[in-house]
Amino acid sequence: MSRGGLSSVTIGRLAEATGLSKSGLFAHFQSREALEVALIEETARIARRHIVEPAMQVPEGLPRLMALVGRWFGWSARAGLCGGCPAAAAMFELDDMAGVVRDRLVALDDEWRELLRANVGRAMELGHLRGETDVEQIVWELWGIYLGHHSAMRFRRDRQADERAQTALIALLRRSGADPSHL
Amino acid sequence: MSRGGLSSVTIGRLAEATGLSKSGLFAHFQSREALEVALIEETARIARRHIVEPAMQVPEGLPRLMALVGRWFGWSARAGLCGGCPAAAAMFELDDMAGVVRDRLVALDDEWRELLRANVGRAMELGHLRGETDVEQIVWELWGIYLGHHSAMRFRRDRQADERAQTALIALLRRSGADPSHL
DNA sequence: ATTTAGTACGAACGATCGTGCTATTTGGCA
DNA sequence: TGCCAAATAGCACGATCGTTCGTACTAAAT
């Protein structure tokens, strides 16, 4: 899924990879659609373990936000996946397809954006960011930087992707009056 | 292709849509791979006509850069496509697949980035942007904003996507000392 | 002891995929 | 008008897709 997207995860291939028979494996999911939902949910689980949980150990405010974003960018490689972020790829794969799979992914995206929103907001409350900061705009631009980083890494094979993303991130937070001692 | 990605454009479906027979249509391309390359090239042609050519009528420097980017964001809808940007989707679809299709897309991406680079550079020469601007970084972040806008529009169905992108764009150019009269 | 539920299997289904071969039709030029 | 090459059609192929079916075997519940 990380390498070829949702549609590349075929019941036949998955059966071969697991050593199960096609029909035996199919019985566990009842439908291709349910398998795809399960795949998305598993992606979320892995992401939470690798990104959210460690970041929550860091002090609230800008430090935690930086930890969160730092672990977010490029997480799929650190999680041992051999391709890119399955969720990002799925967004482009499903953006025009209606159905429960897309719905589940939208819900997951909402959840993630809410997490970002909360942490940007907390940083503001703690005075790490300017008071009149547009939280939603920050979250919006963070997504842009993430997607840019993703395509730079995986499509363009840009060696400087990490630096570029970091530069963009710092500029974004500075613009919002970030306390430079936390960057 | 705009709606379902490269892999959704199947020879059978295309034959049915054009009224040709499968084999008759196939004879024109000799292979699925060649068809995909042709699709990517056609995408580039449409994009050039809708984005680049009109923008070249605008005075050099920041005005032309703004015209370019203004026509870039959300161009697929204005070009009459019923889905998102085929090139952006293809990047996420092919990011880990080797082959001539990917190669062609990379070349196209290089071409586009070179165009952006040239126009950011020209704006700098004309004093519309600060002299010590990191041109490559601007281009990099423009891509991020574009991808963010794309996913906001098509996946999240965000009504404010245009505003958000515009805000991010202006902030990026301001950071580079853009003459505010041109924004 | 008997029913039930869960798990897995092999075989087959109708579609559709890309791709060959072989005709047939077509359109421009001698 | 006749001819040749290009364009298109017809048909078939092996693969793979998601899905269904009937059937074992096992463990739990009755």
Side-chain angles (χ1 to χ4, degrees), chain A residues 23-178:
Chain A
S23 54
L25 190 141
F26 179 83
H28 285 282
F29 295 99
Q30 324 284 1
S31 81
R32 167 80 203 258
E33 217 176 27
L35 165 63
E36 295 190 345
V37 171
L39 282 168
I40 286 179
E41 239 128 41
E42 176 64 10
T43 301
R45 241 187 314 271
I46 300 177
R48 273 191 278 264
R49 192 167 58 238
H50 280 83
I51 306 172
V52 184
E53 289 174 15
M56 285 306 164
Q57 313 288 80
V58 176
E60 281 188 316
L62 203 45
R64 181 176 292 180
L65 180 62
M66 291 299 285
L68 204 53
V69 175
R71 290 175 178 276
W72 180 23
F73 293 179
W75 73 275
S76 62
R78 286 189 298 273
L81 305 183
C82 47
C85 168
M91 285 180 189
F92 281 79
E93 199 175 347
L94 301 175
D95 56 0
D96 289 303
M97 318 267 196
V100 293
V101 185
R102 184 187 198 282
D103 295 344
R104 191 69 196 88
L105 192 60
V106 168
L108 224 62
D109 179 49
D110 283 343
E111 188 188 306
W112 179 252
R113 296 165 56 76
E114 179 53 39
L115 181 70
L116 289 176
R117 232 178 272 129
N119 278 273
V120 173
R122 192 78 185 109
M124 221 175 69
E125 289 168 17
L126 295 176
H128 299 163
L129 293 177
R130 217 198 327 273
E132 67 272 22
T133 298
D134 183 345
V135 175
E136 196 63 37
Q137 180 72 25
I138 305 242
V139 172
W140 199 97
E141 294 193 33
L142 282 175
W143 253 109
I145 300 175
Y146 178 64
L147 292 175
H149 178 262
H150 189 283
S151 83
M153 281 290 256
R154 303 226 58 84
F155 177 69
R156 215 176 308 126
R157 306 269 149 93
D158 179 358
R159 297 257 186 85
Q160 306 180 80
D162 288 333
E163 287 175 53
R164 296 283 177 204
Q166 191 67 16
T167 302
L169 173 65
I170 290 179
L172 172 62
L173 295 178
R174 263 186 196 283
R175 200 176 106 207
S176 308

Side-chain angles (χ1 to χ4, degrees), chain B residues 19-24 27-28:
Chain B
L20 289 176
S21 69
K22 243 178 82 172
S23 54
H28 286 282

